[in-house]
Amino acid sequence: MSLLERIKTLSATNSRDTIDVRRHLHANPELSYQEVNTVAYVAEVLKASGITSLMPMATTGLVAEIQGRNPSRRTIALRADMDALPITEANDVPYKSKNIGVMHACGHDVHTSSLLGTARILNQIRDSFDGTVRLIFQPGEEKNPGGASYMIRDGALQNPVPSSILGQHVFPLLPVGKIGFREGMYMASADEIYLKVIGKGGHGAAPDLCIDPIVITSHIIVAMQQIISRNANPRQPTVLTFGNIIGHGATNIIPNEVNVAGTFRAMNEEWRESALIKIKKLAEGIAEAMGGRCEVDISRGYPYLENNPTLTRRIKSHAEAYVGKENVVDIDISLGAEDFSYYSQVVPASFYRLGTSNASKGITSYVHTPTFDIDEDALAIGPGLMAWMAVQELSAS
Ligand code: NI
C-alpha cells in the first residue's frame, strides 16, 4: 500500500474517534487563556495515541513532538488553536455546549481534534518518514495579544527552528470535501482604535459657551476616511471602521466628551505603521484646531498574515494529490485577522481552509454565530490531509 493510501485508510478508520474528541471539546468549551481542562484533555488524548514528549507552555498551551526515522533531518510545525467564544450556543445537538455562554463558534474544537487525529496518524506511520513533526496546541487565538505570541515567546518555534508551519481553519464558505488555499497576502492586521474627544459641555442653545465634542468627533471620523482613500496604496486592501460612538448629551445638552472605538485593518506592515501614526496625528490635530483635545489609544492586534508563496504552492499540490484537483480551490483574501500571522513573521507559514458546510444537511451558518456547526465528514479528511502534507514537506529535497 502506498503511503498516501495508508494515510487515507488511517484517517478514515480513526475518524469516529476524531469525531468523539471533537464532540467532547465542543461540549466543554473554555474561553481564551482559560483552556485548563481543554489542554489537560489534549495531553490525555496524545498520551493515549502513544505520544509522550509533551512540553507545556504559555500557561494553557502545549507542544508535542513526533519523531520519524531521522529526527534531526528537518522539523515541521503544525498548529491548532483551542479557545472558544463568549456566545450562547443555539444548536440543538447531542454535543451542545455544557458551558452556558461559551461556545466553540469558530471551529477551534475542529482544529484541535483534527490535529490530534493528524498526530495519531503520524505516530502510526513514524517508521515511514524522516524528520520531526512538532504539534502546537495554542491558547487564546480570539483575544489580544493572541496566544501565538506567547507560544513563540516560550520557544514553540525554537530548538530547532521548524522549516515551516501549517495551520488549518474551518470554512463555512466552502462545502465539505473542498480545501481552500491562498498564496501571499491572505489576512489583515487588526488594531483597535480608541478616541476620547474632550470638549466643554453646556446648554445646546449656547454653543458659543461650549466646545462641542460631537462636532469635533464628526470631523475626525469623516477626515479619517481620507487616510484610506488618499494615503493608502489602492492595490492593497485596508479598512478603517468606527463601530461605536458614545456621547452622553441630549437634544439640548452638549456633552463634555465623546468616546469612539473602531478597528483598523491592513495587508502590509509598513503601511500599518504609517497609518497608525496618521490616525493619531489627524485626530489630535483636528481636535486641537477646533479648541478641544483628543486622546488616542491604539491597542495593537495581530500582524498581517502572509502565506509563503512557494510553501503554499507546494502544499496545494500535495492536497491535490490527496483530495483530487477538483476539490482544491483558490480562495480570496480576507480582512479578518488571525493570530497564526505571528508564526508567519518567524518562519515560512501557510494557513489553509477546510470546507465544513453542507447545505443539504442545513449546515450553513458562518463562524462566530450561535448556530455555527460543521459537517463532521470534514473530520475524515482534515487529519489525513494535514498528515500527508507534513510528510511530503519533510521528505522534500
Ligand atoms: Ni478561528
Side-chain angles (χ1 to χ4, degrees), residues 352-378:
Y352 63 94
R353 296 284 185 161
L354 178 69
T356 48
S357 64
N358 190 335
S360 70
K361 294 182 186 171
I363 302 168
T364 55
S365 289
Y366 203 60
V367 288
H368 293 220
T369 68
T371 51
F372 172 74
D373 202 356
I374 64 148
D375 184 338
E376 289 177 327
D377 287 350

mmCIF file of all heavy atoms in Angstrom, residues 352-378:
data_model
loop_
_atom_site.group_PDB
_atom_site.id
_atom_site.type_symbol
_atom_site.label_atom_id
_atom_site.label_comp_id
_atom_site.label_asym_id
_atom_site.label_seq_id
_atom_site.Cartn_x
_atom_site.Cartn_y
_atom_site.Cartn_z
ATOM 1 N N TYR A 352 -4.482 27.360 5.601
ATOM 2 C CA TYR A 352 -5.435 26.950 4.565
ATOM 3 C C TYR A 352 -6.789 26.639 5.195
ATOM 4 O O TYR A 352 -6.920 26.583 6.423
ATOM 5 C CB TYR A 352 -4.885 25.761 3.770
ATOM 6 C CG TYR A 352 -4.674 24.514 4.600
ATOM 7 C CD1 TYR A 352 -5.661 23.537 4.676
ATOM 8 C CD2 TYR A 352 -3.492 24.326 5.312
ATOM 9 C CE1 TYR A 352 -5.466 22.389 5.451
ATOM 10 C CE2 TYR A 352 -3.308 23.190 6.081
ATOM 11 C CZ TYR A 352 -4.294 22.227 6.145
ATOM 12 O OH TYR A 352 -4.122 21.108 6.913
ATOM 13 N N ARG A 353 -7.777 26.442 4.345
ATOM 14 C CA ARG A 353 -9.157 26.328 4.809
ATOM 15 C C ARG A 353 -9.759 24.965 4.487
ATOM 16 O O ARG A 353 -9.640 24.465 3.376
ATOM 17 C CB ARG A 353 -10.007 27.406 4.143
ATOM 18 C CG ARG A 353 -9.590 28.812 4.523
ATOM 19 C CD ARG A 353 -10.066 29.160 5.907
ATOM 20 N NE ARG A 353 -9.766 30.559 6.211
ATOM 21 C CZ ARG A 353 -10.383 31.240 7.175
ATOM 22 N NH1 ARG A 353 -11.281 30.671 7.936
ATOM 23 N NH2 ARG A 353 -10.069 32.493 7.395
ATOM 24 N N LEU A 354 -10.426 24.436 5.513
ATOM 25 C CA LEU A 354 -11.098 23.142 5.401
ATOM 26 C C LEU A 354 -12.589 23.409 5.193
ATOM 27 O O LEU A 354 -13.241 24.008 6.055
ATOM 28 C CB LEU A 354 -10.860 22.383 6.718
ATOM 29 C CG LEU A 354 -11.490 21.005 6.893
ATOM 30 C CD1 LEU A 354 -10.830 19.975 5.974
ATOM 31 C CD2 LEU A 354 -11.363 20.553 8.353
ATOM 32 N N GLY A 355 -13.118 22.988 4.053
ATOM 33 C CA GLY A 355 -14.557 23.159 3.799
ATOM 34 C C GLY A 355 -15.361 22.393 4.833
ATOM 35 O O GLY A 355 -15.056 21.234 5.132
ATOM 36 N N THR A 356 -16.374 23.056 5.420
ATOM 37 C CA THR A 356 -17.115 22.402 6.516
ATOM 38 C C THR A 356 -18.629 22.547 6.387
ATOM 39 O O THR A 356 -19.358 22.042 7.226
ATOM 40 C CB THR A 356 -16.705 23.006 7.879
ATOM 41 O OG1 THR A 356 -16.737 24.426 7.794
ATOM 42 C CG2 THR A 356 -15.320 22.546 8.302
ATOM 43 N N SER A 357 -19.124 23.261 5.366
ATOM 44 C CA SER A 357 -20.581 23.447 5.294
ATOM 45 C C SER A 357 -21.217 22.333 4.470
ATOM 46 O O SER A 357 -20.538 21.610 3.735
ATOM 47 C CB SER A 357 -20.904 24.812 4.691
ATOM 48 O OG SER A 357 -20.441 24.877 3.363
ATOM 49 N N ASN A 358 -22.522 22.190 4.636
ATOM 50 C CA ASN A 358 -23.271 21.225 3.840
ATOM 51 C C ASN A 358 -24.729 21.679 3.795
ATOM 52 O O ASN A 358 -25.489 21.436 4.732
ATOM 53 C CB ASN A 358 -23.148 19.820 4.437
ATOM 54 C CG ASN A 358 -23.713 18.772 3.493
ATOM 55 O OD1 ASN A 358 -24.583 19.076 2.663
ATOM 56 N ND2 ASN A 358 -23.233 17.554 3.607
ATOM 57 N N ALA A 359 -25.084 22.354 2.707
ATOM 58 C CA ALA A 359 -26.430 22.936 2.590
ATOM 59 C C ALA A 359 -27.508 21.854 2.680
ATOM 60 O O ALA A 359 -28.577 22.091 3.247
ATOM 61 C CB ALA A 359 -26.547 23.718 1.285
ATOM 62 N N SER A 360 -27.210 20.652 2.153
ATOM 63 C CA SER A 360 -28.241 19.604 2.162
ATOM 64 C C SER A 360 -28.540 19.114 3.581
ATOM 65 O O SER A 360 -29.595 18.554 3.850
ATOM 66 C CB SER A 360 -27.821 18.432 1.273
ATOM 67 O OG SER A 360 -26.738 17.744 1.878
ATOM 68 N N LYS A 361 -27.599 19.340 4.509
ATOM 69 C CA LYS A 361 -27.846 18.987 5.915
ATOM 70 C C LYS A 361 -28.216 20.226 6.734
ATOM 71 O O LYS A 361 -28.302 20.160 7.966
ATOM 72 C CB LYS A 361 -26.591 18.351 6.535
ATOM 73 C CG LYS A 361 -26.214 16.995 5.946
ATOM 74 C CD LYS A 361 -24.977 16.421 6.677
ATOM 75 C CE LYS A 361 -24.486 15.135 6.031
ATOM 76 N NZ LYS A 361 -23.178 14.701 6.585
ATOM 77 N N GLY A 362 -28.348 21.370 6.054
ATOM 78 C CA GLY A 362 -28.715 22.612 6.748
ATOM 79 C C GLY A 362 -27.574 23.216 7.538
ATOM 80 O O GLY A 362 -27.776 24.034 8.435
ATOM 81 N N ILE A 363 -26.324 22.817 7.217
ATOM 82 C CA ILE A 363 -25.161 23.342 7.944
ATOM 83 C C ILE A 363 -24.535 24.454 7.104
ATOM 84 O O ILE A 363 -23.737 24.194 6.194
ATOM 85 C CB ILE A 363 -24.144 22.218 8.227
ATOM 86 C CG1 ILE A 363 -24.819 21.103 9.027
ATOM 87 C CG2 ILE A 363 -22.922 22.758 8.967
ATOM 88 C CD1 ILE A 363 -23.999 19.817 9.111
ATOM 89 N N THR A 364 -24.955 25.688 7.381
ATOM 90 C CA THR A 364 -24.513 26.810 6.550
ATOM 91 C C THR A 364 -24.093 28.037 7.359
ATOM 92 O O THR A 364 -23.583 28.997 6.785
ATOM 93 C CB THR A 364 -25.658 27.262 5.600
ATOM 94 O OG1 THR A 364 -26.802 27.552 6.411
ATOM 95 C CG2 THR A 364 -26.016 26.190 4.589
ATOM 96 N N SER A 365 -24.314 28.023 8.688
ATOM 97 C CA SER A 365 -24.048 29.231 9.476
ATOM 98 C C SER A 365 -22.577 29.620 9.435
ATOM 99 O O SER A 365 -21.692 28.759 9.389
ATOM 100 C CB SER A 365 -24.455 29.019 10.934
ATOM 101 O OG SER A 365 -25.852 28.970 11.029
ATOM 102 N N TYR A 366 -22.352 30.924 9.513
ATOM 103 C CA TYR A 366 -20.987 31.438 9.498
ATOM 104 C C TYR A 366 -20.364 31.306 10.897
ATOM 105 O O TYR A 366 -21.073 31.138 11.885
ATOM 106 C CB TYR A 366 -20.980 32.898 9.023
ATOM 107 C CG TYR A 366 -19.635 33.296 8.450
ATOM 108 C CD1 TYR A 366 -19.101 32.625 7.353
ATOM 109 C CD2 TYR A 366 -18.894 34.325 9.019
ATOM 110 C CE1 TYR A 366 -17.858 32.964 6.837
ATOM 111 C CE2 TYR A 366 -17.649 34.674 8.501
ATOM 112 C CZ TYR A 366 -17.136 33.986 7.415
ATOM 113 O OH TYR A 366 -15.906 34.323 6.914
ATOM 114 N N VAL A 367 -19.029 31.403 10.948
ATOM 115 C CA VAL A 367 -18.336 31.369 12.240
ATOM 116 C C VAL A 367 -18.730 32.584 13.083
ATOM 117 O O VAL A 367 -19.145 33.607 12.548
ATOM 118 C CB VAL A 367 -16.797 31.316 12.067
ATOM 119 C CG1 VAL A 367 -16.360 29.952 11.548
ATOM 120 C CG2 VAL A 367 -16.301 32.410 11.138
ATOM 121 N N HIS A 368 -18.590 32.441 14.380
ATOM 122 C CA HIS A 368 -18.932 33.476 15.368
ATOM 123 C C HIS A 368 -20.439 33.736 15.440
ATOM 124 O O HIS A 368 -20.860 34.829 15.831
ATOM 125 C CB HIS A 368 -18.172 34.797 15.104
ATOM 126 C CG HIS A 368 -16.683 34.684 15.328
ATOM 127 N ND1 HIS A 368 -15.924 35.668 15.931
ATOM 128 C CD2 HIS A 368 -15.815 33.694 15.028
ATOM 129 C CE1 HIS A 368 -14.652 35.282 15.972
ATOM 130 N NE2 HIS A 368 -14.570 34.083 15.428
ATOM 131 N N THR A 369 -21.260 32.759 15.057
ATOM 132 C CA THR A 369 -22.708 32.869 15.233
ATOM 133 C C THR A 369 -23.166 31.728 16.157
ATOM 134 O O THR A 369 -22.503 30.691 16.236
ATOM 135 C CB THR A 369 -23.477 32.755 13.899
ATOM 136 O OG1 THR A 369 -23.350 31.413 13.390
ATOM 137 C CG2 THR A 369 -22.947 33.746 12.857
ATOM 138 N N PRO A 370 -24.319 31.912 16.851
ATOM 139 C CA PRO A 370 -24.781 30.887 17.802
ATOM 140 C C PRO A 370 -25.241 29.597 17.130
ATOM 141 O O PRO A 370 -25.459 28.594 17.805
ATOM 142 C CB PRO A 370 -25.969 31.555 18.515
ATOM 143 C CG PRO A 370 -26.039 32.957 18.026
ATOM 144 C CD PRO A 370 -25.157 33.120 16.851
ATOM 145 N N THR A 371 -25.388 29.612 15.795
ATOM 146 C CA THR A 371 -25.838 28.406 15.084
ATOM 147 C C THR A 371 -24.723 27.782 14.254
ATOM 148 O O THR A 371 -24.958 26.877 13.456
ATOM 149 C CB THR A 371 -27.021 28.741 14.146
ATOM 150 O OG1 THR A 371 -26.646 29.863 13.328
ATOM 151 C CG2 THR A 371 -28.280 29.085 14.932
ATOM 152 N N PHE A 372 -23.487 28.231 14.466
ATOM 153 C CA PHE A 372 -22.376 27.653 13.696
ATOM 154 C C PHE A 372 -22.213 26.170 14.030
ATOM 155 O O PHE A 372 -22.290 25.750 15.181
ATOM 156 C CB PHE A 372 -21.057 28.391 13.987
ATOM 157 C CG PHE A 372 -19.882 27.693 13.367
ATOM 158 C CD1 PHE A 372 -19.677 27.753 11.995
ATOM 159 C CD2 PHE A 372 -19.005 26.933 14.135
ATOM 160 C CE1 PHE A 372 -18.620 27.069 11.397
ATOM 161 C CE2 PHE A 372 -17.947 26.254 13.550
ATOM 162 C CZ PHE A 372 -17.755 26.330 12.179
ATOM 163 N N ASP A 373 -22.008 25.365 12.995
ATOM 164 C CA ASP A 373 -21.661 23.950 13.194
ATOM 165 C C ASP A 373 -20.930 23.493 11.926
ATOM 166 O O ASP A 373 -20.842 24.245 10.952
ATOM 167 C CB ASP A 373 -22.916 23.099 13.445
ATOM 168 C CG ASP A 373 -22.586 21.786 14.170
ATOM 169 O OD1 ASP A 373 -21.397 21.501 14.416
ATOM 170 O OD2 ASP A 373 -23.523 21.031 14.474
ATOM 171 N N ILE A 374 -20.410 22.279 11.980
ATOM 172 C CA ILE A 374 -19.729 21.762 10.785
ATOM 173 C C ILE A 374 -20.339 20.418 10.392
ATOM 174 O O ILE A 374 -20.969 19.737 11.207
ATOM 175 C CB ILE A 374 -18.222 21.539 11.031
ATOM 176 C CG1 ILE A 374 -17.990 20.442 12.094
ATOM 177 C CG2 ILE A 374 -17.530 22.828 11.435
ATOM 178 C CD1 ILE A 374 -16.730 19.644 11.889
ATOM 179 N N ASP A 375 -20.132 20.050 9.141
ATOM 180 C CA ASP A 375 -20.410 18.681 8.716
ATOM 181 C C ASP A 375 -19.195 17.865 9.168
ATOM 182 O O ASP A 375 -18.069 18.085 8.696
ATOM 183 C CB ASP A 375 -20.580 18.625 7.198
ATOM 184 C CG ASP A 375 -20.964 17.218 6.742
ATOM 185 O OD1 ASP A 375 -20.695 16.249 7.498
ATOM 186 O OD2 ASP A 375 -21.510 17.095 5.634
ATOM 187 N N GLU A 376 -19.436 16.940 10.083
ATOM 188 C CA GLU A 376 -18.310 16.196 10.668
ATOM 189 C C GLU A 376 -17.609 15.275 9.675
ATOM 190 O O GLU A 376 -16.557 14.714 9.991
ATOM 191 C CB GLU A 376 -18.787 15.426 11.913
ATOM 192 C CG GLU A 376 -19.092 16.369 13.088
ATOM 193 C CD GLU A 376 -19.631 15.633 14.306
ATOM 194 O OE1 GLU A 376 -20.343 14.620 14.122
ATOM 195 O OE2 GLU A 376 -19.342 16.067 15.440
ATOM 196 N N ASP A 377 -18.175 15.140 8.475
ATOM 197 C CA ASP A 377 -17.445 14.395 7.438
ATOM 198 C C ASP A 377 -16.089 15.051 7.168
ATOM 199 O O ASP A 377 -15.156 14.390 6.693
ATOM 200 C CB ASP A 377 -18.256 14.345 6.132
ATOM 201 C CG ASP A 377 -19.448 13.389 6.226
ATOM 202 O OD1 ASP A 377 -19.521 12.644 7.231
ATOM 203 O OD2 ASP A 377 -20.300 13.404 5.313
ATOM 204 N N ALA A 378 -15.991 16.344 7.482
ATOM 205 C CA ALA A 378 -14.712 17.057 7.307
ATOM 206 C C ALA A 378 -13.614 16.424 8.161
ATOM 207 O O ALA A 378 -12.425 16.531 7.835
ATOM 208 C CB ALA A 378 -14.877 18.531 7.667
#
